Amino acid sequence: MNQYVAQFLAYMADERNMSANTTAAYRTDLDQLCSFLQDRGIERWADVDAEAMMAFVLNLKEKKYANSTVARRLAAVKSFFAFLRERNLISHDPVEHLDAPRVDRFPPRAISQPQVDELLELPLQNGTPEGLRDKAMLEVLYATGMRVSELVALNVDDVAFDAKTVRCLGRQGRERTVPLSDPAVTALEEYLDIARPQLARQTSSDDEALFLNHRGKRLTRQGFWLILKSYAEQVGMHDLTPHMLRHSFAAHQLRSGVDLRELQERLGHASIATTQIYTHLAGETPPANAANNGHAHHS
């Protein structure tokens, strides 16, 4: 059995330019499969059936491997069986109908209300147009739970100050209107009055874009990432991601009494099942501290 594994790895390295690291990982994955099958008395690849492969995946899960590891093992195994099939070394593919576990279903993580407040205070410490912009972006992100791609796509006329709402375009072009908190409205007003005109002075400024970079162009997702990262590091939250702010928004909303259907609408989830993931978070993060300069009762 091992000779075919060696042939496959040589093929992947030479013909498909697979990196040494990936080749080593695939070797480990396939060696583990060989041992598992031999323990079950299977000595030829032609004798491997779907049931044996299902047992292999269950075995990985029983050993408590992370979903991402199981998914990578399966990717290696699927490539290997495709290789055997192309060379007519097996008559059927035993992993054809085997699904990899969903990797993106790690339980979402949130930060506490005091941590959010600390993060939201930071941008105002530098008194620059960028600081006012960052304050507005973080407030809007935390008040709405929108995705970063949705945030950077906002245009000036998507904000309705009278109604205290913002219109955003979600996945598959689904549009939704989301309420803004008072701090978010204030931060946006200050940004639009003072900071945006300064950022837009550049000759080729993007007229419609709500959030501009220092060159007057629409801020990109990567640009926002770097901004958030620098603030997060100042408060010691080195693993904070934009998506964790979305998770935190969801958890804090549920804790403050917003019902699941309404939260689904605000987050732009197609299915309520996706929104339900947040119910365990709402019970986990430390409760909001009552003396929280007004952020605790955003709704």
Side-chain angles (χ1 to χ4, degrees), residues 139-140 143-144 159-160 163-166 178-182 184-185 188 299:
E139 286 285 5
V140 168
T144 61
V159 182
K164 292 187 183 175
T165 58
V166 60
V178 195
L180 289 168
S181 62
D182 290 340
V185 169
L188 276 169
S299 66

Side-chain angles (χ1 to χ4, degrees), residues 130-204:
E130 285 84 357
L132 286 172
R133 175 202 63 201
D134 298 349
K135 169 74 170 166
M137 288 195 303
L138 291 175
E139 286 285 5
V140 168
L141 205 59
Y142 179 63
T144 61
M146 64 175 66
R147 301 173 182 97
V148 175
S149 52
E150 296 167 347
L151 180 82
V152 297
L154 291 176
N155 289 331
V156 175
D157 61 8
D158 287 329
V159 182
F161 284 102
D162 297 347
K164 292 187 183 175
T165 58
V166 60
R167 183 180 61 214
C168 87
L169 203 59
R171 299 207 168 138
Q172 278 97 45
R174 282 195 298 269
E175 193 180 278
R176 64 189 192 280
T177 300
V178 195
L180 289 168
S181 62
D182 290 340
V185 169
T186 305
L188 276 169
E189 284 173 342
E190 290 190 341
Y191 163 67
L192 286 171
D193 287 349
I194 303 164
R196 194 181 177 284
Q198 293 181 46
L199 293 169
R201 272 197 200 130
Q202 324 300 328
T203 47
S204 60

